Each structure stands twice: as C-alpha cells, then as structure tokens.
Amino acid sequence: MDYNSNQNSKAASRFNLGTGLLLVFLLVPAALHAAPAPDALLHKPAPAFVRQDLAGKPVDLKAYRGKVVLLNFWATWCGPCQLEMPRFTSWQKQYGSRGLQILGVSMDDEPGVVRKNVSKLQVNYPVVMGDERLGNQYGGILGLPVTFLIDRNGQIIARFAGEADLNAMEDQIKRLLDRK
Amino acid sequence: MQSRSFARAVFSVAVAILCSALHNPAQSSPNAPSPSSALSIPESQLIQPDALIHLLQGAESAKPLVLQAGSRIFFAESHIPGSVFAGPGSQLAGLQLLQSKVASTAKNQLIVLYCGCCPWNRCPNVGPAYKQLRDLGFTNVKVLYLANNFGDDWVKKGYPVEHGL
C-alpha cells in the first residue's frame, strides 16, 4: 500500500513536472507571439507603425495626431471590404477638410493586385501593405474587414469587425470630428 | 419530308434541354450558389471545430491532412497546429500551390480544408479549393465550418493555434 502510494506519488510528481515543462514549452512561445485581445485595445493609444504606401511614400500613424483616423484592414478578395471602400472614399472627400484621415491596410499577400484594386475603386486615401506583425499589434486580424476609429489624441475609440453598420460608423466619425 | 426531320430535330433538342434543366436544378436556378462560393460545398462535407479537434487528438492513423486555403498573412498570424499553408483558393497561384501540396497524398486520405478569412457565405477561397481537390480525385475532403471567421470561431473559443509560416 505504502509502496504503491509512494510510487503513485512519484509518478504524479513526474507527471506534474512533465506537464509543467510541456506547458512552459507550449505557452512561452505562444505568449511571445500573442496578440493583445482586440477589446483590450479600446481607449488605449493606437499601436504605432510606419509603412510605405503603394507609391513608396512613408505613412507614419503618429503624423496624423490631431486628426480623426479611420484605420481599415481589408483585402482584395474580401467581399464586404469591397463594398465599404467606396463609402470610405466618399467620407474622405466629404470630411477630409474637417480633419478625417482614412488609412487602408491591405492584408493581401502581393501588392500588385492591391494597386489594381485601389485604382479601380479610385481610392483617395493612403493604403499600405500589412503583415502578421501589424495584424498582431492590432489584436490579431483574423477575419476581414476590421476597422479602428482613432480620435484626435491617438486613442482607439471603436473597433468594427465584419460587415459593419456604416451609418452608425459615420455618425461616430461625425461626433469625433465635432470634438476639437 | 425534310421539314419533318427538321421539326423532329428541334423537338429532340428542346426535350434534351428540358431534361437537363430538370435533372440539374442547381445550374438552372438563378439563386444557385456559384461554384466559387462556400455555399456550393455540400453540407454533408462540412466539419465543425469540435469534431476536428477530436480527430486531431485521436489516433495518428486517423489524423487528417489539414490545409489552410486562405491568406498567407493570416496563416502566419495564427493557424491550426500541424496545418499546411496551401494558398488562397480564389487565386490561380493558390490552386497551383494546393495541387503541389497534395501531389503525393493518397486519394482516399482524409483532408480538411479551412480558411476563415470572412463570414462563411462570403469566403471566396474554400469553394474553389474544395472543387479543385474533388476534381483531382480526392474522395474524402471535408471543409471546416467557420461561421464568421478564424478569429471568432477558432481562436476566441480557445482552440489550439500555432504561429508563423
């Protein structure tokens, strides 16, 4: 009985040690890659980035401090994204002078198709190419479209995922534009 | 005599067209999903996340080949452990990569395809990838049903993931 109990206890501690090591092995790399939970980004400063747009011009998010920024993650193969972008283009025209800046981040793998798409849709705001690093900074972009509304102080005010209510989004933009 | 033969030919063609329409309503209906849509995949060929996890945790011999048929960036961000990036099914280059990934795979091997880039009815990738595998002669192809996207229906639910390419 004692022998068995002793053996069981040894086996249990070996198991616990093994399990612990396995968890460390699995969780440490995961934690290093882990993106912040999307909701954890709300009311926090928008993660900084500097990228080149499709024409090779640098786009630094910090440079838009003082403007209301609509940061839209999209792709050429994303149906709902294609429906949103003409609306974003019209907002850029309509509200640009009041301080709205729309920025597009394409999650396509190649810029060639993006250039064609942007030209076809007559997009009038900067578009940069995204990658997994930028996606992770913004809480993991694992479905499109995803759009962040950033206030004049660089704080993320809202996150819209999937087929968003564009009228509600526009109302929220207008409210932010009214705040000086 | 000649006009009777012509009328018979016209009648035969009309009957053939009618029969074809009746036997293949999916092609004749204006509401039928396009072959590129995820909605074109038979419901019987869909697999739910729980069922896939069960398979992945089961015996080695029963494990499926899991292929991600979506965006490379999304794959690098997060993917199902052990899955293979097979290229976006909506693009020719993606379908070519998919073909190369299964070149040495047995035709009866269980293959599970997934994407999760967009809501299921909007996904442009899994429909063509599924069709490609069926056309190549694979007989045991399932598609992971992700209602909204990979983030909501897999990652947020706490299923295991790997990162990187």
Side-chain angles (χ1 to χ4, degrees), chain A residues 42-122:
Chain A
L42 289 178
H43 309 293
K44 303 261 170 62
F49 66 84
V50 183
R51 302 260 155 161
Q52 288 190 336
D53 71 8
L54 296 172
K57 201 174 140 197
V59 173
D60 182 352
L61 181 64
K62 216 168 48 202
Y64 297 102
R65 196 63 62 85
K67 287 182 179 277
V68 171
V69 174
L70 191 72
L71 182 65
N72 170 236
F73 288 83
W74 67 283
T76 56
W77 38 258
C78 159
C81 304
Q82 298 295 303
L83 296 176
E84 287 182 344
M85 287 165 69
R87 191 85 182 266
F88 294 162
T89 298
S90 76
W91 291 348
Q92 184 60 64
K93 199 170 168 188
Q94 191 177 352
Y95 303 118
S97 59
R98 289 175 58 191
L100 176 68
Q101 182 59 59
I102 298 176
L103 297 176
V105 179
S106 165
M107 297 302 269
D108 283 89
D109 294 335
E110 302 295 334
V113 286
V114 179
R115 281 196 189 92
K116 278 187 200 153
N117 196 218
V118 160
S119 157
K120 186 179 138 202
L121 295 176
Q122 299 182 304

Side-chain angles (χ1 to χ4, degrees), chain A residues 24-35:
Chain A
V24 168
F25 177 74
L26 290 173
L27 294 178
V28 167
L32 290 175
H33 272 95

Side-chain angles (χ1 to χ4, degrees), chain A residues 141-160:
Chain A
I141 305 295
L142 293 167
L144 290 174
V146 175
T147 302
F148 293 88
L149 182 57
I150 302 168
D151 72 8
R152 295 183 192 271
N153 299 316
Q155 303 273 316
I156 294 179
I157 298 302
R159 177 182 184 271
F160 305 89

